[in-house]
Amino acid sequence: MNYDFSRELRLLTPEDYKSVFKQAHRAGSPHFTILARENSLSHPRLGLAVPKKQIKTAVGRNKFKRITRESFRNKQHSLPAKDFVVIAKKSAQDLSNEDFNKLLDKLWHRLSRPSRG
């Protein structure tokens, strides 16, 4: 499998994250929340927040990140030019990979619709 996740598709600096946290549309579930904010680029970017307090083991945090990145990579061409930050919650580690992916797809779709605000 190709896990090349190019730099241009990632939020890299604290400023990138701060701008998303400041003014974001939110789509959530009991397992994780995705924040989205328009960006001035021609493509979407992804940031991840997986606190040790929520997912204790490195294996669990890495699995969360790997599945989220893969889902984003598969969906990136249908996503609008927004910055997305996925924030893990404790119960995310209890999801099967299939359920995790279904839930991500549903939230990507919800955040892809034009905002009504």
Side-chain angles (χ1 to χ4, degrees):
M1 265 189 222
N2 180 6
Y3 283 109
D4 178 34
F5 194 65
S6 95
R7 289 179 64 83
E8 68 188 25
L9 296 176
R10 288 187 271 171
L11 296 179
L12 297 172
T13 66
E15 288 74 32
D16 290 339
Y17 281 88
K18 279 181 193 152
S19 76
V20 175
F21 284 117
K22 218 183 320 184
Q23 279 187 314
H25 292 103
R26 175 182 301 259
S29 79
H31 309 293
F32 50 88
T33 300
I34 303 178
L35 305 176
R37 182 178 186 199
E38 305 267 329
N39 68 30
S40 57
L41 306 167
S42 60
H43 55 81
R45 295 188 303 173
L46 176 68
L48 296 165
V50 191
K52 282 184 184 174
K53 195 172 192 172
Q54 298 300 326
I55 300 180
K56 301 266 189 258
T57 66
V59 170
R61 290 190 302 277
N62 289 337
K63 178 183 173 191
F64 181 93
K65 290 188 258 186
R66 189 173 53 250
I67 293 170
T68 305
R69 283 190 190 115
E70 184 67 11
S71 172
F72 179 80
R73 193 178 66 74
N74 290 331
K75 289 282 183 195
Q76 72 189 25
H77 303 294
S78 62
L79 293 172
K82 291 184 177 180
D83 290 340
F84 296 94
V85 175
V86 181
I87 305 165
K89 295 181 186 172
K90 203 169 254 139
S91 61
Q93 60 198 339
D94 301 330
L95 288 173
S96 70
N97 291 7
E98 185 182 343
D99 290 341
F100 196 120
N101 276 310
K102 281 181 189 168
L103 191 52
L104 276 170
D105 286 349
K106 186 171 133 189
L107 296 179
W108 293 135
H109 178 72
R110 191 181 306 163
L111 287 166
S112 295
R113 297 189 308 230
S115 62
R116 296 180 299 275

